[in-house]
Amino acid sequence: YLELSLICQYIVTDRNVTIAATVQHFPDVPLIEYRAGACGSAQAPHLAAVREAVPEFDDVDFVLGRYALDIPREPDQEEALRRFTAARAAFPESPAILANLGDLRRDREEWAEALEAYDAALMLVPTHRDALLGRAITLSHLARHDDAVAAATRIIDLGSWFTGEAYYWRAWDEYHLGRIVEAPLAVGRTAGWGR
């Protein structure tokens, strides 16, 4: 397991050969096959094999859902939604699953469902930056501009992650509220304007 973890972490020229050899050497150890499958979307068949062999291995659904979205040019949103929904049922206390589910719902313009997922993630971890940003964007698209401004301001107040995006969405919502004077200042503060 440790060897697979290291191989997956670093660029190794014979990575696929080593992964295949390790899985073959431990054919009856689902955890080894799971770790192999978590090495990247090219290894997804290992995860499917684990899920088939051990139906209780619910961890597989979240990773397979993310892989479904990583398909170049044609992400499989339906498969991702199915997998994320199953993962959420198995791990209702996971903010990462909820935030990813929210992102997928937002990409599909399913605003109410996206907001529900982000709010559930934030109930678990009130400072979850991905969920906070997703919530601000979703509220903007729902035309709940005052709530979106508050959500974006929360990100800015927390500092560090996603502050640029938060300034953008706060200004966007200020503009849609007709507060034209506030909109440029909301963005301009990142560049030091309006001090």
Side-chain angles (χ1 to χ4, degrees):
Y1 190 92
L2 179 59
E3 181 182 10
L4 282 175
S5 297
L6 293 172
I7 287 169
C8 294
Q9 198 67 19
Y10 301 102
I11 298 172
V12 178
T13 54
D14 59 346
R15 174 187 292 173
N16 292 340
V17 172
T18 304
I19 290 170
T22 304
V23 171
Q24 188 174 17
H25 188 70
F26 298 99
D28 298 323
V29 183
L31 190 59
I32 295 295
E33 192 150 27
Y34 172 80
R35 187 61 189 102
C39 282
S41 56
Q43 303 299 329
H46 290 295
L47 292 178
V50 169
R51 189 70 157 119
E52 187 175 317
V54 186
E56 298 81 20
F57 216 120
D58 298 324
D59 301 55
V60 170
D61 285 317
F62 180 57
V63 181
L64 286 175
R66 294 185 71 173
Y67 289 169
L69 293 177
D70 288 342
I71 299 170
R73 288 189 238 50
E74 290 190 38
D76 190 343
Q77 289 187 340
E78 290 301 321
E79 174 68 4
L81 181 59
R82 187 175 74 76
R83 294 291 185 172
F84 287 162
T85 301
R88 181 183 184 187
F91 301 99
E93 299 296 312
S94 170
I97 292 170
L98 288 163
N100 276 269
L101 184 57
D103 289 346
L104 174 59
R105 293 289 197 176
R106 191 185 75 219
D107 289 347
R108 293 163 58 103
E109 298 184 3
E110 297 169 355
W111 307 115
E113 294 86 351
L115 186 61
E116 184 270 328
Y118 292 133
D119 285 346
L122 291 168
M123 288 293 292
L124 298 169
V125 181
T127 58
H128 194 288
R129 302 308 203 282
D130 294 303
L132 283 168
L133 180 60
R135 185 174 193 275
I137 295 167
T138 299
L139 288 167
S140 298
H141 286 284
L142 286 169
R144 291 177 50 189
H145 301 298
D146 283 318
D147 293 334
V149 167
T153 300
R154 172 81 171 122
I155 297 168
I156 294 164
D157 291 345
L158 288 170
S160 64
W161 301 321
F162 303 132
T163 54
E165 293 92 334
Y167 277 112
Y168 169 83
W169 285 102
R170 187 167 75 176
W172 191 87
D173 285 292
E174 294 283 7
Y175 173 80
H176 282 83
L177 285 166
R179 298 192 294 233
I180 307 302
V181 173
E182 289 90 343
L185 292 177
V187 172
R189 288 184 192 115
T190 60
W193 309 336
R195 289 186 179 167

